[in-house]
Amino acid sequence: MLTPNARTADQSDAAPLFAALGDETRLALVDRLCAGGPLSIARLTAGSTVTRQAITKHLQILAAVGLVHDRWHGRERIWELDTARLDEARRRLDQISQQWDEALNRLKRFVED
Amino acid sequence: MLTPNARTADQSDAAPLFAALGDETRLALVDRLCAGGPLSIARLTAGSTVTRQAITKHLQILAAVGLVHDRWHGRERIWELDTARLDEARRRLDQISQQWDEALNRLKRFVED
DNA sequence: ATGAAATGCAACTATTTGGTTGCGTACCCT
DNA sequence: AGGGTACGCAACCAAATAGTTGCATTTCAT
């Protein structure tokens, strides 16, 4: 429809995603799941400075924005990156950065006139 | 050098950047500065639900990660996107998403074996 | 069957965060 | 000169956040 006030269509709920990533511990968790594949809470806790319960909470926050999901395997709760959602998130990041890029180019053209 | 444990080189301080973007109000500010060019605090406050002081604080948070910077013009404090840093941030986002992408592909290959 | 391992749940705490109000100051304009 | 406009600074507040500890539950392995 391209209404005059179109702005920010898809990035409307980008803030919670950024917020979920805006923590060192959580970013490290994403990192480890990225590099190491599915891991149990105990595994993820080992090497971390914080307690298992803290790790659990962080994982739940990541799950709330769909970046990870869990699966039970015996007495272990295995967490893994949600590849579909993660890819979606990646595309959203690209999209936002592209929006910024376009806007910046417009600004540059404006300044250079 | 490609050491065995290379991971996360440049995304070390990505968390504060994500955190700065992880707030609706701040994301909206970035948005407005993106679309509308440099604006004063009063201008940025108009149309927002929160007070001028709140806006000021948010701008300072964005400034702390280098996304915006300010410049005095008479009695007005003009805020604008820091294009250089923003571009850097954009590239960092791309880089992280690419890292994720590669890791996910590795995971997929691993699963499909 | 029993003990250790992996986890959940709940209560509690301290710090950070997002926001406010009140008041003072600098600047512009008529 | 004097009033309105744009802003800073500081104190304050409520809610959210990141973390803890303590205890109960399930599951595995011997």
Side-chain angles (χ1 to χ4, degrees), chain B residues 34-107:
Chain B
C34 214
L39 289 170
S40 72
I41 296 176
R43 284 303 216 100
L44 287 169
T45 302
S48 167
T49 59
V50 299
T51 58
R52 170 179 62 85
Q53 286 84 343
I55 297 293
T56 295
K57 286 188 183 181
H58 283 300
L59 287 168
Q60 281 164 348
I61 290 170
L62 289 171
V65 296
L67 282 175
V68 299
H69 67 98
D70 65 300
R71 164 177 42 95
W72 281 91
H73 183 250
R75 60 180 160 179
E76 287 184 327
R77 191 176 177 183
I78 307 295
W79 288 88
E80 56 190 344
L81 288 174
D82 198 317
T83 59
R85 288 281 293 172
L86 187 57
D87 208 55
E88 207 179 305
R90 192 182 66 81
R91 266 194 296 266
R92 196 188 300 173
L93 291 183
D94 283 349
Q95 177 191 341
I96 292 173
S97 71
Q98 194 187 332
Q99 257 179 289
W100 287 355
D101 214 34
E102 288 165 11
L104 290 182
N105 283 335
R106 280 196 300 275
L107 287 184

Side-chain angles (χ1 to χ4, degrees), chain A residues 14-20, chain B residues 17-24 26-27:
Chain A
L17 177 67
F18 283 130
Chain B
L17 176 67
F18 283 129
L21 294 172
D23 177 275
E24 301 284 0
R26 285 194 291 272
L27 216 41

